[in-house]
Amino acid sequence: MKKLWLITLLTLCLSFRGNSQDFQEILESEIQENMPGISFSILSEDGKISWSGAAGVIDLETKKSLSSEHSFRIASVTKTFVAASILRLMEMDSLQLEDLLADHISEEHTKILSEDYPMDQITIRQVLRHAAGFFDHTHAPEFFDTILQNPKHEWTRTEQIKMGIEKGEPIGPPGQQFSYSDTGYILLGEIIEKYTRKDLDEGIKELVGLEKLQLFRTDFERKDPITDSLRIHQYLQGMDTYGFSPTMDYYGGGGFLSTTAELTAFFKALFNNQIFENPETLEIMLEPVEYEKPAAMDYQMGMYRVKINGMMAYTHTGFWGSQVLYIPEKDLYMAANYSQVWRGSAVAPVFSKILDAL
């Protein structure tokens, strides 16, 4: 019996070693002239698969090797953390999802938004689902014009809210359509700061327990010198954006730095009810939404559903090239970060290749 157990264990080890080699080769194959680096992690529910790797370089100038320990701007993947934090506030009775947004943000911001929006109708649930009808301030041409002309410009939440009002029109009535909006999530970020009485970095960490999960490299930029020092260069159409002020994407729509290993660990904790006190809260977060007009994304709260290799997965992507997903059918968690965003698909190409290798 002991001999049989040893043979089985050896077979599993050799099998995974082979997979590890395949995984690394896949990462190497993703490196191209316009794609200088990639990080990747995979984690199975039972723990039998747990691997992180990287290929390419930190930046095109020094060409130092990239490792899986390096951090990167996760951009909109931050929204999953924000949504989970708002749901934690619901569990703590600080708010209810049917509450009016206006009851939980500043009078100044409510007044600004009231110029275009019926603030007596917009609920927190609608904002979580991108169904409030908010124009996305990042879609205003002036937003990226400002960034490109002055990359170090220090944005404020109020400035971004005003831009959304001045440069765009409401998408439609609250609750009647899906329209992805960073503006909505920076308002949710304000709520987190209000009730934790801390900045967004500390507020989210307190509410979802990142330190208890030992996720020490998931930090808002400028908050942890070690995480900052590990940040890689990320590119936009060949342009190095390393010097862009993080305040362009800092108030809830984005803001976190992380690693692929920590993103998979967070998703695993989320789907294993280690974030919420009540299992029903995760069900609320994942509740499907339907609109009269089909939505461009199958978005719930802080994440959305996609198909990969014929299987349904929960996911979120980030503007610069990051993505994390969970495949219930396989009980697999995966995260990837490309140094420059991939094109042509809703799912990072590396995920399908890794699944094929498995």
Side-chain angles (χ1 to χ4, degrees):
M1 187 70 179
K2 184 176 181 181
K3 183 178 180 181
L4 178 61
W5 180 83
L6 287 171
I7 291 172
T8 302
L9 180 62
L10 180 61
T11 301
L12 287 171
C13 290
L14 290 174
S15 175
F16 186 64
R17 184 180 299 172
N19 279 333
S20 298
Q21 292 171 349
D22 291 341
F23 294 166
Q24 187 61 43
E25 289 175 4
I26 289 170
L27 297 192
E28 298 289 347
S29 72
E30 293 293 282
I31 301 304
Q32 303 170 14
E33 183 179 354
N34 64 344
M35 190 63 72
I38 181 173
S39 303
F40 173 82
S41 292
I42 183 170
L43 180 63
S44 64
E45 186 66 50
D46 58 14
K48 291 180 180 178
I49 300 176
S50 179
W51 186 85
S52 293
V57 296
I58 297 172
D59 69 274
L60 290 171
E61 186 174 344
T62 68
K63 298 189 183 302
K64 292 181 179 178
S65 295
L66 178 65
S67 83
S68 59
E69 303 298 317
H70 284 102
S71 64
F72 48 86
R73 291 174 171 173
I74 71 172
S76 285
V77 181
T78 304
K79 290 182 174 70
T80 307
F81 295 83
V82 170
S85 298
I86 293 293
L87 290 168
R88 284 287 297 118
L89 288 171
M90 179 196 73
E91 289 186 325
M92 297 162 62
D93 291 327
S94 296
L95 54 81
Q96 298 300 315
L97 298 186
E98 300 310 320
D99 289 352
L100 293 176
L101 174 69
D103 292 340
H104 297 278
I105 61 174
S106 70
E107 291 184 8
E108 177 190 10
H109 290 162
T110 298
K111 183 178 180 181
I112 294 170
L113 292 163
S114 294
E115 295 178 21
D116 277 2
Y117 298 97
M119 297 303 290
D120 59 347
Q121 299 177 33
I122 295 174
T123 67
I124 292 174
R125 185 189 298 273
Q126 292 165 352
V127 180
L128 283 164
R129 291 175 168 176
H130 294 289
F134 288 135
F135 173 78
D136 188 338
H137 66 271
T138 68
H139 290 174
E142 291 83 356
F143 179 71
F144 270 99
D145 286 347
T146 300
I147 292 168
L148 295 175
Q149 293 168 16
N150 183 12
K152 297 186 183 299
H153 176 72
E154 292 289 297
W155 295 86
T156 66
R157 179 181 280 116
T158 302
E159 180 183 11
Q160 292 178 346
I161 294 169
K162 286 181 176 179
M163 178 169 283
I165 294 296
E166 294 169 359
K167 305 301 180 181
E169 297 297 326
I171 305 302
Q176 294 189 23
Q177 69 285 301
F178 169 85
S179 184
Y180 191 91
S181 174
D182 272 36
T183 306
Y185 267 72
I186 69 174
L187 293 164
L188 296 175
E190 178 181 347
I191 294 174
I192 293 169
E193 293 177 338
K194 173 182 177 179
Y195 287 109
T196 61
R197 298 183 180 181
K198 297 179 178 179
D199 64 29
L200 198 50
D201 173 77
E202 293 177 337
I204 292 175
K205 288 176 179 175
E206 175 184 293
L207 290 169
V208 302
L210 292 189
E211 292 187 359
K212 291 181 181 178
L213 295 172
Q214 297 187 322
L215 303 183
F216 300 122
R217 293 283 75 82
T218 300
D219 301 286
F220 264 60
E221 202 164 332
R222 299 176 173 174
K223 293 298 180 180
D224 187 296
I226 297 176
T227 304
D228 282 353
S229 71
L230 292 169
R231 180 166 70 91
I232 68 169
H233 290 238
Q234 291 167 279
Y235 296 85
L236 177 64
Q237 298 177 356
M239 181 192 311
D240 190 343
T241 66
Y242 188 85
F244 285 14
S245 169
T247 60
M248 65 173 284
D249 186 31
Y250 201 66
Y251 300 103
F256 266 133
L257 301 176
S258 192
T259 66
T260 55
E262 295 208 356
L263 290 179
T264 55
F266 178 72
F267 254 51
K268 185 177 180 182
L270 185 61
F271 282 94
N272 278 272
N273 287 301
Q274 294 176 274
I275 304 297
F276 302 127
E277 290 184 359
N278 305 311
E280 294 80 9
T281 305
L282 181 62
E283 295 176 10
I284 292 171
M285 187 178 197
L286 303 180
E287 185 179 8
V289 192
E290 291 187 2
Y291 305 96
E292 184 175 339
K293 179 182 178 181
M297 299 168 68
D298 187 4
Y299 206 100
Q300 292 81 53
M301 295 182 183
M303 67 176 67
Y304 56 97
R305 297 191 298 184
V306 293
K307 285 283 189 178
I308 177 169
N309 288 26
M311 297 175 288
M312 188 275 289
Y314 291 100
T315 190
H316 214 297
T317 54
F319 178 80
W320 303 111
S322 56
Q323 185 168 23
V324 56
L325 58 77
Y326 167 54
I327 306 173
E329 185 175 329
K330 294 289 186 182
D331 269 339
L332 274 178
Y333 304 86
M334 294 190 288
N337 182 70
Y338 287 76
S339 294
Q340 181 162 265
V341 68
W342 69 92
R343 300 293 180 190
S345 65
V347 178
V350 70
F351 292 142
S352 292
K353 295 178 182 179
I354 293 291
L355 288 172
D356 289 342
L358 285 172

